[in-house]
Amino acid sequence: MDDRLQSAARRTESTTTFRALARGGYVATGIVHGLIGVLAIALVVRQGRAEADQVGALTSIAEAPFGLAGLWAVALLLFALGIFHIVDGFALSRSSRKQRWGRRLAEWGQGIAFCVMGGIATAIAVGARPDPDRTTRDASRGLLTLPGGTVLLVLVGLGVAGVGIAWIWMGVSRSFRKQMELPSDRVGHAIAALGAVGFVSKGGALLVVAVLLAAAGVRGDSSSAGALDSAITSLYDLPGGPVWIVLIGAGFLAYGVFCFFRARFAKL
């Protein structure tokens, strides 16, 4: 990579204001995930009537007093964190080329994910109402019309499952600690425990999404595909489903609280 581009990226990410906004992005992420957790639990209380996903969480912010201003702030902070990860990918330096590019791809992936969340927040702020479940079904329907579409959709499901397993592994191994400067006392252990629960819960939710996608591919019917809200809602009628939904909701709440601490202790 061009040394001038790398140097410019390092100068950019070292800016105090940029770092402060990026840390604020973790706070925004925590708010969104915490609200998803609340909505998941509300889904059980309301007997299946709640929108437990990013759109539902962001819409809840918009509907609160002064919510529109808060939603714009959330969008700005999410974009700041996303851009920071992308810039950090350019600024990275590793002795091993393989490690360097592996880390860059991870940073860029995170950056895109945060920017997408910021884009959803912006869309809701200007009055749009994205529907991730419908978008997922439409995309699945499009795949199924292609030659080998059934296989492609199953592979997409397996890819999402891989991401879910990666999240679970990060929680179990607590590898996220490498990106943080946690204190070594009880507070640090408690924060790590919150992170572990949150990562595992989010990974579990992604596995349910993967099952829906793979099942849609096997059946050749896109109507069974869906995103996070469909995944959580699909558990409701299963034996013990409401308990699992509450556990997932509690896990998202734990991840939300963890993100607040991450804003303070992240290595930026």
Side-chain angles (χ1 to χ4, degrees), residues 171 174 176-177 182 187-199 254 258:
R174 304 193 180 192
F176 56 84
R177 293 179 63 115
L182 290 175
V187 173
H189 292 304
I191 295 171
L194 281 172
V197 171
F199 273 85
F258 166 76

Side-chain angles (χ1 to χ4, degrees), residues 23-92:
R23 290 188 186 278
Y26 283 121
V27 174
T29 303
I31 292 171
V32 172
H33 281 82
L35 286 172
I36 292 174
V38 170
L39 290 169
I41 296 171
L43 187 148
V44 174
V45 175
R46 298 174 182 174
Q47 299 181 333
R49 294 187 299 274
E51 190 175 4
D53 61 7
Q54 293 176 356
V55 172
L58 292 166
T59 301
S60 297
I61 296 173
E63 292 173 348
F66 306 104
L68 190 58
L71 189 57
W72 277 113
V74 165
L76 170 65
L77 294 172
L78 288 170
F79 276 122
L81 181 56
I83 294 169
F84 184 91
H85 278 288
I86 292 171
V87 171
D88 191 47
F90 286 105
L92 281 172

Side-chain angles (χ1 to χ4, degrees), residues 97-117:
R97 180 181 177 86
K98 182 178 179 180
Q99 290 180 348
R100 181 168 62 250
W101 279 101
R103 186 63 190 164
R104 277 176 177 160
L105 291 175
E107 290 292 329
W108 291 338
Q110 289 183 73
I112 291 171
F114 285 121
C115 285
V116 167
M117 198 185 304

Side-chain angles (χ1 to χ4, degrees), residues 5 13 92 215:
L5 177 59
E13 71 171 359
L92 281 172

